[in-house]
Amino acid sequence: MPRTHKTLPRLFIDIPMRLGAEIALDKDQTNYLVNVLRRAAGDNCVVFNGRDGAFLAEIAQAGKKTVTLHLAEKSAEQTPPSTLWYGFAPIKRMDYCVQKATEMGAGVIQPILTQYVQNTRVNLDKVRANTIEAAEQCEVISIPQVREPVQLKPLIANWKENHGNRKLIFCDEESASSSPIDTLMPLKGKELGLIIGPEGGFSADERALLHEQEFVTSISLGPRILRADTAAVAALALIQSTIGDW
């Protein structure tokens, strides 16, 4: 994305896009662009749909109820979807975890129901909205897939069938404090998954189940016990900076 466009509003619009096309915004996006941001005819914004790249769009018509955009320039080619799988137990600050995972390059967002999870009801529409909001704010143009919640035990039992040779990184809060870098480096170049537990951590049975799997690599996140949302950001940053796309 050209840095000259960094100050422009960015909108995710889930329709096919091509250079020269005209797009009518829905009521909410019209309100946001015209009434909240005070944009008018002749102003620019950036639009994307997660499939066709990003476009510099000019506001061709701006009314209180309708905005029409003209796709004037292809500003970025579509980036390939990330292969990084991010699984987490839903927590109270789930919107934060989802937004940060999107910003940091997760390609799949998978809610996981564990024994100590406190939030068993997951509003997937809200989760998807969180991914879009983060993508709009941070110049991400590949929207992560949001999966239906799954219980931990079936997820692990069917891992090979559903995920092939993907390696799963398990942040074990009860492991001895150590640097995870040496543990992670042999996984470089492989498809990866990351699993983060709930506020109360994984149960003893769940930890044992994860440790038994040959596709699971256990790492420590240091000598301090981190909140679940902090652990997610720390682990994603660690993976991306050592064996990811940073």
Side-chain angles (χ1 to χ4, degrees), residues 97-213:
C97 290
V98 170
Q99 290 165 0
K100 298 312 165 189
T102 302
E103 293 174 34
M104 300 180 76
V108 174
I109 292 178
Q110 173 68 72
I112 302 172
L113 304 181
T114 64
Q115 184 173 339
Y116 296 150
V117 70
Q118 296 180 11
N119 185 11
T120 58
R121 300 182 66 180
V122 180
N123 185 334
L124 292 181
D125 288 338
K126 185 176 181 180
V127 173
R128 293 187 182 98
N130 289 151
T131 66
I132 291 170
E133 179 183 353
E136 288 177 336
Q137 292 176 350
C138 297
E139 301 186 25
V140 174
I141 59 175
S142 288
I143 306 296
Q145 299 178 38
V146 176
R147 302 275 175 85
E148 293 280 346
V150 63
Q151 296 281 342
L152 176 64
K153 289 184 178 179
L155 171 73
I156 297 304
N158 299 314
W159 185 265
K160 286 287 191 179
E161 178 181 350
N162 294 328
H163 298 278
N165 293 322
R166 183 184 300 276
K167 302 299 182 182
L168 181 60
I169 298 168
F170 162 41
C171 298
D172 185 1
E173 73 275 8
E174 295 193 28
S175 63
S177 177
S178 61
S179 171
I181 295 175
D182 290 341
T183 306
L184 289 175
M185 290 309 294
L187 302 180
K188 188 175 180 63
K190 302 181 184 298
E191 289 195 345
L192 301 173
L194 169 68
I195 185 168
I196 300 289
E199 286 97 334
F202 292 101
S203 69
D205 288 345
E206 289 169 338
R207 290 182 64 247
L209 174 67
L210 288 165
H211 280 296
E212 288 170 0
Q213 311 305 316

